[in-house]
Amino acid sequence: MRRHFVHVAVLAALAACLPAAAQLPEPVARVLAEQGLASDAVSLLVLRGDQTVLAHLAERPMQPASTMKLVTTLVGLEHRARSFAGVPSC
């Protein structure tokens, strides 16, 4: 299971080299098909700076792969916010 997520992540990173497109790049679509996942089972948004390189169902609400990632991020942001509480913003 983890292996196909790694494949998709690597292929999504490679897709960053491609121009923005509505369809999934062929290598990404192929890996999804090999793993038995429908193309509408994933949502991708690849940005280069402010420019969208690849958007596939990017505005569709989806459940995160792991709620623990959200908890870890929240704790990290709260901790970081406390450490910068006395620093004036620009």
Side-chain angles (χ1 to χ4, degrees):
M1 181 80 138
R2 180 185 165 135
R3 186 173 179 216
H4 83 276
F5 286 119
V6 172
H7 283 128
V8 172
V10 168
L11 291 173
L14 291 174
C17 300
L18 303 172
Q23 294 183 338
L24 286 173
E26 190 276 327
V28 176
R30 185 177 63 242
V31 170
L32 289 174
E34 289 171 358
Q35 298 298 321
L37 295 170
S39 64
D40 65 348
V42 297
S43 171
L44 298 170
L45 178 62
V46 180
L47 301 173
R48 184 177 297 138
D50 291 336
Q51 181 182 11
T52 301
V53 177
L54 173 68
H56 175 73
L57 302 175
E59 295 180 14
R60 178 177 165 191
M62 299 186 86
Q63 294 287 9
S66 168
T67 54
M68 288 310 297
K69 292 175 191 165
L70 297 175
V71 172
T72 303
T73 301
L74 179 62
V75 170
L77 289 172
E78 287 180 349
H79 175 73
R80 187 138 173 104
R82 276 188 244 124
S83 65
F84 285 101
V87 178
S89 61
C90 297

